[in-house]
Amino acid sequence: MSSEKSHTDEQTHFRTCNLCEAMCGIVIKHDGKKVLSIKGDKDDPFSKGYICPKATALQDLHEDSDRLRHPVERTANGWKEISWADALDKVAAGIQSVQKNTVKMPSVFI
Ligand code: SF4
């Protein structure tokens, strides 16, 4: 991963689209939290600049007001925001429970 900083607050990040197994290289330009563009990375050795429409929709996902920004846990009184450390501990405990064949599904979403 690399980043370039311009004379404004605009920055360019070279990343990988994680929406499917193709893992296309993408170039994200942003100014602070504002996404300016998402394009294919022509220098990516596999995708060579190709992206499908889902990659440009990453901006919509990023800016969706309903997007989870913190882990939440289901409680008797509804969803409760929890810390990342608590969420990861609960997920790890859930996985260990499954591995021990005493299935207890975690009620945490991250
Ligand atoms: S750009 Fe499209 S094809 Fe490429 S990884 Fe993302 S979702 Fe998959």
Side-chain angles (χ1 to χ4, degrees):
M1 287 186 221
S2 63
S3 302
E4 296 172 7
K5 180 119 179 154
S6 67
H7 296 294
T8 66
D9 286 338
E10 184 179 317
Q11 290 187 317
T12 302
H13 294 286
F14 298 90
R15 298 289 190 266
T16 301
C17 175
N18 59 6
L19 293 178
C20 85
E21 73 283 357
M23 304 287 285
C24 298
I26 55 176
V27 182
I28 304 168
K29 290 189 183 293
H30 70 94
D31 189 347
K33 293 189 175 186
K34 173 77 178 148
V35 176
L36 303 174
S37 68
I38 300 175
K39 295 182 177 168
D41 182 357
K42 292 182 174 69
D43 294 328
D44 184 272
F46 297 113
S47 57
K48 298 183 167 89
Y50 169 83
I51 54 171
C52 78
K54 288 188 286 185
T56 51
L58 285 168
Q59 179 174 2
D60 295 331
L61 294 174
H62 178 72
E63 296 172 352
D64 190 329
S65 60
D66 291 333
R67 180 170 67 91
L68 283 179
R69 287 167 170 77
H70 307 281
V72 291
E73 180 178 24
R74 183 183 300 148
T75 71
N77 299 319
W79 294 101
K80 180 182 114 190
E81 190 175 308
I82 61 174
S83 72
W84 281 101
D86 285 349
L88 293 171
D89 285 347
K90 289 174 189 278
V91 169
I95 291 170
Q96 288 171 341
S97 176
V98 169
Q99 289 172 328
K100 291 176 187 166
N101 208 14
T102 56
V103 178
K104 178 181 172 229
M105 297 301 288
S107 56
V108 174
F109 292 85
I110 53 177

